[in-house]
Amino acid sequence: MRAAVLGSPVSHSLSPTIHNAGYQASGLHDWLYTRHECDREALAPFLEGIDDTWAGLSLTMPLKEVALDLADEVSATAAALGAANTFVFTSGKVLADNTDAVGLIDAFHEAGVSAADGFSILGAGGTARAALGAAAELNATSVNVFARRRTAIRELEPVAAALGLHLRYREWETLPEAADSEIVVSTVPKGVVDDYEIPWSTFNTVFDVVYDPRPTPLLRRAARNGATTIDGLALLLHQAVHQWTRFTGRETAPVAAMRAALDTAVEQRA
């Protein structure tokens, strides 16, 4: 069977390392996970070439929102978030799902975080949607979103409403005030928050979805001030674990083997 990650750019993706390690550890030696460069316009033609040897696809930027329009069925999670990072092929149909939010939640639980007393998100792009889903699961009632464009917040408002969250727009220049929230998730690209001095403390748990460099300047400063920190490798691993179980139909994945392979790959890149 086959699976793959699609996106643009995608050559840097470590998803093949994680998924293939899971296959090998589980004795699925005839399974193969690859990567393919694919933009929005190329996604539909790629799907047309899928046959019954394919189990599913992982989708990264810029495909997560357009994916919903190409699926035969959409999971409740993907519909609520307005984005899908997963296609599962079953009975000739394409199911769109989203494992980013549950991946974030698993990473929080692994770090000992089970509830949110104040939740802030840095950035208002695609990953912010998954962060909203995680906020809802952690029983947050309102979320501060620090963004450079007010218009980007409007795109998140239907997602927040579907999740029962009150969304509060915060101007980007007020970023240091994010430290007032117990949980802060940075969803912005590499380098965007590096020049900001944020007064982190032991009150904060800071999650940066970026993992290069490791630790990022944001997490390095947060840890120096006593904050609990979680890097993007935790999200990368846990969202992939949930995809793996959906693709293979197995209830559990060999997480230890998948984590070990990911850690080794990161060390080799460094």
Side-chain angles (χ1 to χ4, degrees), residues 211-237:
Y211 54 84
D212 179 27
R214 191 186 192 200
T216 62
L218 174 67
L219 294 188
R220 189 164 53 247
R221 291 172 181 169
R224 188 183 304 139
N225 290 354
T228 298
T229 60
I230 310 172
D231 69 29
L233 287 181
L235 171 59
L236 181 63
L237 172 67

Side-chain angles (χ1 to χ4, degrees), residues 4-270:
V5 57
L6 271 58
S8 183
V10 78
S11 60
H12 67 287
S13 176
L14 291 171
S15 293
T17 297
I18 302 170
H19 284 261
N20 285 324
Y23 299 153
Q24 292 304 308
S26 300
L28 300 175
H29 301 301
D30 58 341
W31 282 65
L32 178 64
Y33 186 105
T34 54
R35 63 172 70 89
H36 298 271
E37 189 76 15
C38 181
D39 59 18
R40 291 184 181 90
E41 291 71 26
L43 182 56
F46 192 97
L47 286 176
E48 292 175 0
I50 293 295
D51 58 25
D52 59 8
T53 66
W54 285 83
L57 295 172
S58 306
L59 305 172
T60 186
M61 297 300 293
L63 306 176
K64 293 185 179 183
E65 295 176 34
V66 68
L68 299 180
D69 297 329
L70 300 176
D72 298 309
E73 300 177 12
V74 178
S75 72
T77 299
L81 298 181
N85 75 328
T86 308
F87 275 159
V88 181
F89 306 131
T90 56
S91 303
K93 293 185 177 181
V94 179
L95 168 66
D97 201 356
N98 191 305
T99 66
D100 282 334
V102 69
L104 280 167
I105 294 164
D106 284 352
F108 276 124
H109 287 169
E110 192 172 61
V113 178
S114 59
D117 181 15
F119 201 107
S120 286
I121 299 172
L122 313 186
T127 308
R129 295 170 179 263
L132 286 173
E137 286 293 325
L138 292 173
N139 298 317
T141 56
S142 64
V143 177
N144 298 314
V145 179
F146 293 79
R148 288 166 289 184
R149 295 182 298 108
R150 180 67 179 86
T151 54
I153 298 296
R154 296 193 185 100
E155 296 178 4
L156 294 181
E157 288 174 346
V159 179
L163 295 170
L165 294 170
H166 174 62
L167 198 64
R168 293 189 297 223
Y169 166 60
R170 303 297 300 275
E171 294 183 354
W172 189 251
E173 291 71 20
T174 66
L175 197 60
E177 296 177 12
D180 294 336
S181 296
E182 180 183 10
I183 295 178
V184 180
V185 180
S186 176
T187 67
V188 297
K190 179 179 178 179
V192 171
V193 296
D194 288 358
D195 295 332
Y196 287 86
E197 291 293 340
I198 303 173
W200 304 117
S201 70
T202 56
F203 169 70
N204 301 117
T205 294
V206 185
F207 197 140
D208 192 348
V209 301
V210 175
Y211 54 84
D212 179 27
R214 191 186 192 200
T216 62
L218 174 67
L219 294 188
R220 189 164 53 247
R221 291 172 181 169
R224 188 183 304 139
N225 290 354
T228 298
T229 60
I230 310 172
D231 69 29
L233 287 181
L235 171 59
L236 181 63
L237 172 67
H238 288 296
Q239 61 83 27
V241 166
H242 284 280
Q243 289 180 335
W244 192 95
T245 59
R246 285 160 171 74
F247 294 164
T248 63
R250 298 197 173 191
E251 291 186 6
T252 58
V255 179
M258 297 165 81
R259 188 194 306 273
L262 175 60
D263 289 342
T264 298
V266 171
E267 290 174 5
Q268 291 175 343
R269 283 193 177 185

